[in-house]
Amino acid sequence: MDLRSVYHYRIDWIVSFVAVAHHGGFSAAAKALYRSQPRVSSHVADLERELGTKLLDRSVHPAVLTPEGRALLPHAEEILRRLGVLADMTGGAVRGEVRLGAYPSAAAYLYPLAVRALRDNHPRVRLVLREGPSVALGAALASGDLDLVLRPLLPLIGSDGVASRLLWREPLVAVFRDDHPLARSPYVRLAQIAALPLISIGESGEGNGRQYETNLAFANAGLTPTITAQTNQPQTLVALVRHGMGTGVTNSLAMTTANIEGVTLVPIADPHCERVVALWWRSDGVASPAVAAVRDV
């Protein structure tokens, strides 16, 4: 589309045309717009001249739309509606489209609550969800592809231009197949799990697997488990455990969003076995009332 072609059209021409169509004549439109009737008539005539067609049949009183006028009316109404949206943005109401990134279990838990709260407090703010693994979410935030990110503190985001607010802490849990001897234990320790094949959080080949909470918990305890598989999908972790591929260790919230039939969750007794979840945003970005509203919600 050549945008230069629209420079010839004035908004007041369109306003006057729509008013005449809605109010049933030039006189009624002039009263509704607080303009003189000659000015309204002139606006419509200028619009007709630019389009090269008659929009109103003036041979009857009051004037009626021609077939061309009827065809144009919904488009003219849409132009004014969209201009109204622009006007609303300067009227003090918070509005905008905010892109929120979240890892799957956090999205399942928090996103519906956030959407409902926004409808009550900021109905003109639209929240767009993008799910993904923590590392990818951090990179997308740093590059400006996301406005807010819900993800753990670890692995670290490789950017100085981000800030975060801690939201919650949740324990890590061991995931055993139902027939595993340790599945009947009231709790287990990392040393017991380290002696077993381990299925952990993360993705193979990311290059930062040691930064995940599970890996750091074992490292801080001086343990080096054998990791047979890594996944960021809670249901995949459960499936691997169910099929005897190993013992899983993951955050407890992830297991509330998965079908855990055939597996048993057992608390880990060692200290500092937890996931710390925060909301992240760019501290060096342009201030946005819409982003601030979502952050507060």
Side-chain angles (χ1 to χ4, degrees), residues 254-270:
M255 293 296 94
T256 67
T257 65
N259 176 1
I260 58 173
E261 182 180 357
V263 302
T264 299
L265 310 181
V266 179
I268 300 174
D270 298 67

Side-chain angles (χ1 to χ4, degrees), residues 51-208:
L51 291 171
T53 188
K54 290 293 184 181
L55 302 174
L56 289 155
D57 183 356
R58 296 168 178 78
S59 65
V60 296
H61 185 77
V64 296
L65 290 171
T66 64
E68 292 75 17
R70 289 194 297 272
L72 177 65
L73 181 59
H75 301 290
E77 292 169 333
E78 178 66 11
I79 290 171
L80 297 185
R81 188 190 70 78
R82 292 187 179 274
L83 287 173
V85 171
L86 291 177
D88 286 346
M89 294 188 71
T90 62
V94 179
R95 81 156 50 230
E97 181 178 282
V98 178
R99 303 161 299 174
L100 171 68
Y103 63 96
S105 58
Y109 165 64
L110 196 58
Y111 179 68
L113 301 176
V115 170
R116 189 168 61 188
L118 280 173
R119 286 175 179 171
D120 293 337
N121 297 286
H122 302 286
R124 295 180 179 179
V125 175
R126 178 171 178 258
L127 195 57
V128 177
L129 176 65
R130 296 184 184 174
E131 294 180 277
S134 296
V135 173
L137 293 175
L141 177 67
S143 67
D145 290 335
L146 291 172
D147 303 304
L148 291 169
V149 162
L150 183 64
R151 61 164 299 229
L153 291 182
L154 300 174
L156 298 173
I157 296 179
S159 172
D160 295 330
V162 296
S164 64
R165 179 187 298 171
L166 192 149
L167 295 183
W168 69 77
R169 297 174 182 269
E170 56 178 293
L172 300 179
V173 295
V175 186
F176 293 100
R177 205 164 82 162
D178 282 343
D179 59 0
H180 194 284
L182 291 177
R184 295 183 292 275
S185 303
Y187 62 85
V188 293
R189 295 194 175 275
L190 290 174
Q192 294 172 282
I193 304 172
L196 306 169
L198 179 67
I199 302 166
S200 71
I201 303 167
E203 287 187 357
S204 300
E206 280 184 338
N208 48 22

